[in-house]
Amino acid sequence: MSLAVGTRLGPYEILAPLGTGGMGEVYKARDTRLDRTVAIKILPAGVAADPQRRERFRREARAISSLAHPHICTLYDVGDQNGVDFLVMEHLTGETLAQRLLRGPLPIDEVLRIGAQIADALDAAHRQGVIHRDLKPANIMLTSGGAKILDFGLAKWHGAESDAAVSVVAATAHSTLTQAGTVVGTIQYMAPEQVEGKPADGRSDLFALGAILYVMTTGKKAFEGASSSTVMAAILAATPPSMVTARATTPPALDHVVKHCLAKNPDERWQSAADVGRELRWIWETASQPGTPTSLTSRPLSHSYYWIAATTIASVAVTLAWVNLRERPPDANPIRLYLPPPEPAVYPNYNSIESPPVISPDGRQIAFVAHEPAGFDSVWVRPLDSLTARALPGTEGVPVSSLRPFWSPDSRSIGFFAGGKLKRIDLAGGPSQVLADAPDARGGAWNQRGVIVFAPTADGPLYRVPANGGAATPVTKLQAPQVGHRWPIFLPDGRHFLYLSRVFPQLGESATDIASLDSDEVVRVLPGGTTLVNVAYSATGHLLFIRGSPAYAGGSPAYAAGGTLLAQRFDPERFVLSGEPATIAEDLGRDPGPGAAFSISTNGVLAYRQASKPISSQLKWVDRAGQMLGVVGSSATQDGVSLSPDATHAVVRRRADRRSEIWVLDTTNGAASRLTFESGNYTPIWSPDGRQIAFGTQRHVQGGVINVVFRQHSNGAGQPEALVSGRYSTNPTDWSRDGRFIIYADQDVTTKADLWALPLVGDRKPIPVVRTGGIDNFGQLSPDGRWLAYTTDASGREEVYVQEFPRAQGKWQVSTNGGTQPRWRRDGKELFYVSAGGELIAVNVKAGVEGIDVSVQKRLFPLHIVPEDYTYGVTADGQRFLVNTLVSDTSQPIVVVSNWTAALKR
């Protein structure tokens, strides 16, 4: 039967026919529940009447449903409707190996790669007791994510009795080989025991794999004949010509592997698909070593080399020189290229790499985050065979720490985090799609089965969600003293994933674990003891990870020094590391979170950013038009600007030599004096009389680290007094004009960060004033103490709000398109804040009995500031601003490394 477009089979709507074979018709369809594209295979009415064929169809469902492997087509569902039996499978785009072979033999490196993938898939099937028995080029789909085995319609499942004779008849009946002798079909990939009607086992599939490797390498079939009988006779008795004879560039080791696959006696073949896969990978690895006497090293550069070549941004002469390399043996060393940001955008430099460059799985494209002047951070994509990049619509206008893009396994879509949501966007076009809530995300990973694992918050377990949307459910469980799981990376089986188990503030105890989508088992892979940043698995059988000195030193968040990228042998089935780690690259950028820092493709392309130097900034006086009036002191790595009430002094945090200290500067002559002499201090604020300064400090104590708010005389006299403490960061943000309260932000694992008021008289018991469930910060009291301005990202974007104080009643939103860092004018009639686009905004404030009016706003001038804590202060009259202006942008270009695996050979 044929199904018309629009026909419904349960929740599946037929979109278009895809093909017809002896065992069914295949259609492209849409799952109306999940809004995803699927492939539906139906059993024709004529075949359904045959009990044997119908049973074989059902057996296919059982066989496929027991398998979960990145190189086996995934079965989603099975059903019947009005007498129509159907399977619902993963919809694949690409071409079959049979279609590809019409253009001739494949490059040797592709033969090895595809062959190893097929072997791995067969090994997974055989371990589940499933034998394919109809493996052929038409049943292998080549996709951007690699080879996929299709059609287990003749599969032998869990030791079922043999029906090999029926298989031969069925295969011959629907092959393209006729008695008149035309072209060859299915039968050419059958093992001798199948031809003779004897029981088949996994070694029969290995015979078929050998025949497939033979035709991929030579372009000719191993066994040919004018009729089915002559082909059968060749399979039973003939020995195909050596592949080296048919194609001189064939590595002898590959010829050896295929000969053993095609042995007539199953006992003389390779005894497992895993053995074949290991041999094929070994050939590839040894052929890549310098001086290896094999013709594989003479191959033309694969497509990935073309893509990397195009990124050189060089002259025509350099491009031509690269093209000429196609005719010469490739350099055995890795090839490193630098990608500058797309003008006029820049790579954001926060001295951490929370959104690293992410190479696509196929190695053809790179996604990264860039910032346009007076604009937003966005996700950009650049094909590596192009000199241009494009910003993806729908990803702009959010903080860089929220984007963190990651690729779909087919390299056609990107997942990212924006507006407090996990989203996906297809590169072919169309709007982004919201998948799940992710208010403070820490990375995601996408497997071949259409499952995304992600960290929706900084502190909590990992969750899973269908890549086409649906309910998000926890997939890991926190075990004390863990406070969060983040940065998931899938292993090749698509079931297990690596992730970081974070312990805070003792980051040295953070470790890398492995968990599963369908099991509670957790395996520790890399222990703590050193800060580990982002772990990835390579198809070469290695774990890649960064090791370096801890990102937090002296109890202070310090700019992370560059890390060393290492690769170590790893068994993805037993989860065991072996051997010594090899150095791949030095001085990589790191996030003190810790977070992602590099990415790799499945075909040997590596991307990362080198460590940046500390940002240099200068305190500058500007007027309401942004015109510079003067400078204060010298440039330094500094932030957390706060002006004294009379504006004669400023207090800042300065960082140098991995220390973090509080400094006081005279705004008239620039003289600077250090206030603190123990590292780990941050966010200083002035008392209303200018005689004291409060600041946050991280202190090491027995059993861990605590965060304390201290106050000290502004001239440095006496000892600092501890006011309040907490386990996590405790940041003072303002001191009420009557001196009665200090407003501070207190981070908590469960509620993120809340704003509290600390009374400085009486029992000094802190009072919660803002608890939105998001990150609440930058609390600022109006001069009359009636209103509290603050920011929260509870809506998914950081915005400025005002509410009553001390009663947490009423709530008025000030910013409408992102905002942060509110500051009051001394008379309370104006409120300033920094927009998401990096401009200083002035808001007229009219307070009344019924509330507050903040509707009149004016853009003053664009800022070029350091995105750390408070970046500006304002004088009492609101006419001058002391702005911490960025002097030197030390962000590093993206480094793309082709053939990074060559470093493993050294």
Side-chain angles (χ1 to χ4, degrees):
M1 63 178 295
S2 296
L3 299 181
V5 173
T7 300
R8 294 287 287 266
L9 294 176
Y12 307 104
E13 179 184 2
I14 301 299
L15 301 179
L18 292 177
T20 302
M23 284 302 296
E25 299 172 358
V26 184
Y27 293 86
K28 180 180 179 181
R30 183 176 70 92
D31 185 337
T32 58
R33 297 168 303 180
L34 300 178
D35 192 27
R36 69 176 171 189
T37 302
V38 298
I40 287 186
K41 180 176 180 179
I42 69 168
L43 190 63
V47 176
D50 184 337
Q52 287 183 320
R53 290 192 177 186
R54 185 164 187 163
E55 173 58 28
R56 201 150 54 239
F57 184 84
R58 291 171 177 169
R59 182 164 64 250
E60 178 177 5
R62 293 194 298 270
I64 299 177
S65 65
S66 68
L67 305 178
H69 192 273
H71 298 300
I72 296 176
C73 182
T74 303
L75 174 68
Y76 294 141
D77 196 3
V78 62
D80 64 86
Q81 178 174 302
N82 300 326
V84 177
D85 293 275
F86 61 91
L87 299 177
V88 183
M89 299 174 291
E90 176 184 9
H91 178 259
L92 302 174
T93 57
E95 62 180 348
T96 66
L97 179 57
Q99 293 169 325
R100 169 59 185 87
L101 287 169
L102 294 176
R103 302 197 297 273
L106 281 68
I108 296 298
D109 57 346
E110 291 188 28
V111 173
L112 294 169
R113 176 176 58 84
I114 294 171
Q117 291 172 352
I118 298 171
D120 290 345
L122 289 175
D123 179 56
H126 293 169
R127 289 173 182 269
Q128 296 294 321
V130 178
I131 305 165
H132 194 287
R133 296 199 299 177
D134 193 25
L135 193 64
K136 56 186 177 182
N139 281 342
I140 297 169
M141 180 70 78
L142 304 181
T143 73
S144 59
K148 293 263 191 177
I149 297 181
L150 314 173
D151 208 342
F152 277 76
L154 299 180
K156 180 181 179 182
W157 183 58
H158 292 294
E161 293 183 2
S162 172
D163 60 353
V166 175
S167 299
V168 172
V169 173
T172 305
H174 63 76
S175 74
T176 54
L177 178 66
T178 69
Q179 295 299 322
T182 54
V183 293
V184 185
T186 302
I187 200 169
Q188 277 126 339
Y189 301 95
M190 282 187 172
E193 58 270 23
Q194 290 178 282
V195 171
E196 292 179 329
K198 296 178 180 179
D201 59 22
R203 295 171 298 180
S204 305
D205 285 346
L206 299 188
F207 186 94
L209 176 56
I212 290 170
L213 291 169
Y214 190 99
V215 70
M216 284 197 294
T217 304
T218 67
K220 300 177 182 179
K221 297 179 177 65
F223 306 101
E224 298 189 88
S227 65
S228 59
S229 58
T230 56
V231 172
M232 290 182 184
I235 291 173
L236 293 172
T239 299
S242 166
M243 294 196 304
V244 176
T245 302
R247 182 177 181 180
T249 58
T250 303
L254 176 58
D255 190 53
H256 171 79
V257 169
V258 173
K259 283 182 179 179
H260 273 68
C261 286
L262 297 178
K264 307 300 182 186
N265 186 341
D267 292 337
E268 296 177 359
R269 294 177 205 149
W270 300 102
Q271 296 302 292
S272 75
D275 292 338
V276 178
R278 277 192 292 268
E279 290 295 315
L280 294 175
R281 282 188 290 273
W282 177 83
I283 296 170
W284 168 252
E285 292 173 5
T286 56
S288 301
Q289 294 181 9
T292 301
T294 172
S295 56
L296 179 58
T297 59
S298 307
R299 70 189 185 283
L301 291 179
S302 64
H303 293 302
S304 62
Y305 283 85
Y306 294 110
W307 303 324
I308 299 303
T311 67
T312 56
I313 319 298
S315 65
V316 174
V318 173
T319 303
L320 291 175
W322 181 275
V323 174
N324 288 337
L325 288 176
R326 294 180 57 192
E327 306 304 324
R328 302 197 304 271
D331 192 342
N333 295 318
I335 301 172
R336 288 178 171 82
L337 305 168
Y338 294 88
L339 299 185
E343 294 183 356
V346 297
Y347 295 136
N349 183 2
Y350 301 152
N351 284 315
S352 63
I353 311 296
E354 290 192 336
S355 279
V358 187
I359 199 74
S360 61
D362 63 8
R364 298 188 182 196
Q365 303 177 84
I366 190 167
F368 55 88
V369 174
H371 179 84
E372 295 186 79
F376 301 109
D377 296 317
S378 302
V379 176
W380 293 64
V381 171
R382 174 176 173 171
L384 293 184
D385 61 355
S386 172
L387 302 184
T388 60
R390 64 186 176 100
L392 297 182
T395 67
E396 68 280 352
V398 294
V400 63
S401 60
S402 297
L403 292 173
R404 300 188 177 94
F406 58 95
W407 286 91
S408 64
D410 63 4
S411 302
R412 298 187 177 190
S413 303
I414 287 177
F416 65 98
F417 301 94
K421 306 290 183 182
L422 166 63
K423 300 182 179 182
R424 64 171 285 178
I425 187 168
D426 297 331
L427 300 189
S432 61
Q433 175 186 354
V434 174
L435 303 181
D437 291 331
D440 189 20
R442 292 297 188 272
W446 192 333
N447 75 359
Q448 300 89 339
R449 302 163 64 189
V451 175
I452 291 176
V453 170
F454 68 107
T457 61
D459 301 304
L462 296 173
Y463 281 67
R464 62 179 291 173
V465 68
N468 286 314
T473 56
V475 73
T476 62
K477 297 178 181 179
L478 295 180
Q479 302 291 335
Q482 300 169 3
V483 297
H485 295 161
R486 51 178 66 179
W487 314 120
I489 296 289
F490 272 108
L491 289 174
D493 64 7
R495 295 171 49 245
H496 293 90
F497 51 90
L498 296 147
Y499 64 96
L500 181 76
S501 297
R502 189 169 186 258
V503 178
F504 184 84
Q506 294 86 1
L507 290 180
E509 297 179 14
S510 299
T512 299
D513 294 335
I514 290 180
S516 171
L517 294 175
D518 44 21
S519 170
D520 292 333
E521 180 185 10
V522 175
V523 178
R524 177 62 45 90
V525 179
L526 288 169
T530 184
T531 301
L532 305 171
V533 184
N534 186 237
V535 177
Y537 176 76
S538 165
T540 61
H542 292 81
L543 277 192
L544 274 70
F545 56 93
I546 291 180
R547 178 171 290 160
S549 55
Y552 283 72
S556 167
Y559 290 140
T564 299
L565 180 61
L566 303 174
Q568 189 170 0
R569 276 285 181 187
F570 179 72
D571 186 330
E573 295 181 355
R574 297 188 298 122
F575 311 139
V576 175
L577 287 161
S578 62
E580 295 297 322
T583 298
I584 303 301
E586 301 277 5
D587 199 32
L588 267 70
R590 306 172 59 221
D591 166 33
F598 70 95
S599 66
I600 54 176
S601 72
T602 59
N603 57 357
V605 182
L606 165 70
Y608 62 88
R609 291 242 326 256
Q610 289 183 312
S612 301
K613 301 300 184 290
I615 293 173
S616 177
S617 61
Q618 175 73 65
L619 294 178
K620 297 182 179 181
W621 282 112
V622 299
D623 62 18
R624 289 178 70 94
Q627 297 297 315
M628 189 176 74
L629 304 175
V631 298
V632 174
S634 59
S635 61
T637 300
Q638 57 195 358
D639 57 44
V641 180
S642 179
L643 269 175
S644 63
D646 60 6
T648 60
H649 290 82
V651 61
V652 298
R653 171 176 66 166
R654 284 187 169 179
R655 296 190 264 191
D657 299 325
R658 299 181 60 77
R659 295 180 60 84
S660 176
E661 306 288 1
I662 305 300
W663 287 71
V664 177
L665 289 82
D666 188 315
T667 59
T668 59
N669 59 26
S673 60
R674 184 187 298 183
L675 181 68
T676 62
F677 291 86
E678 292 187 20
S679 183
N681 307 297
Y682 48 86
T683 59
I685 60 172
W686 288 92
S687 65
D689 60 7
R691 299 175 61 184
Q692 293 180 308
I693 292 173
F695 55 90
T697 298
Q698 190 176 84
R699 291 283 188 259
H700 287 273
V701 296
Q702 185 174 6
V705 173
I706 61 170
N707 290 266
V708 185
V709 174
F710 285 93
R711 66 176 171 182
Q712 186 168 356
H713 288 289
S714 58
N715 62 6
Q719 295 297 315
E721 175 191 1
L723 300 176
V724 67
S725 65
R727 181 181 177 189
Y728 302 106
S729 58
T730 306
N731 309 319
T733 62
D734 196 22
W735 202 319
S736 65
R737 302 303 180 268
D738 59 10
R740 296 177 56 204
F741 296 100
I742 285 180
I743 305 297
Y744 69 96
D746 187 19
Q747 182 178 344
D748 184 85
V749 173
T750 56
T751 62
K752 297 186 181 178
D754 303 322
L755 286 173
W756 295 72
L758 174 67
L760 297 179
V761 296
D763 60 6
R764 293 192 181 184
K765 183 178 181 180
I767 304 168
V769 290
V770 180
R771 306 185 78 172
T772 67
I775 298 177
D776 309 322
N777 200 6
F778 296 113
Q780 290 282 299
L781 286 168
S782 61
D784 61 6
R786 181 182 175 187
W787 310 101
L788 177 69
Y790 64 94
T791 67
T792 180
D793 65 354
S795 67
R797 181 201 296 270
E798 190 176 35
E799 300 281 8
V800 178
Y801 296 85
V802 171
Q803 71 179 35
E804 291 187 56
F805 180 84
R807 297 182 306 166
Q809 295 184 359
K811 183 177 180 179
W812 293 266
Q813 184 170 340
V814 178
S815 60
T816 58
N817 195 30
T820 187
Q821 300 185 35
R823 293 279 198 194
W824 291 94
R825 198 171 76 186
R826 181 65 59 85
D827 60 9
K829 294 182 179 180
E830 202 168 27
L831 181 68
F832 306 94
Y833 71 89
V834 180
S835 72
E839 292 183 297
L840 189 65
I841 308 296
V843 183
N844 289 340
V845 179
K846 295 182 179 180
V849 177
E850 300 299 325
I852 190 169
D853 182 0
V854 290
S855 60
V856 179
Q857 303 192 16
K858 180 182 179 181
R859 298 162 61 183
L860 296 184
F861 54 86
L863 298 164
H864 192 46
I865 55 179
V866 180
E868 294 277 356
D869 296 324
Y870 266 107
T871 58
Y872 74 100
V874 58
T875 57
D877 60 4
Q879 299 303 305
R880 293 187 302 148
F881 303 88
L882 186 63
V883 180
N884 189 30
T885 304
L886 187 66
V887 172
S888 62
D889 181 4
T890 58
S891 63
Q892 300 295 310
I894 293 173
V895 181
V896 177
V897 185
S898 173
N899 192 29
W900 69 265
T901 55
L904 297 172
K905 312 301 188 299
R906 293 202 287 265

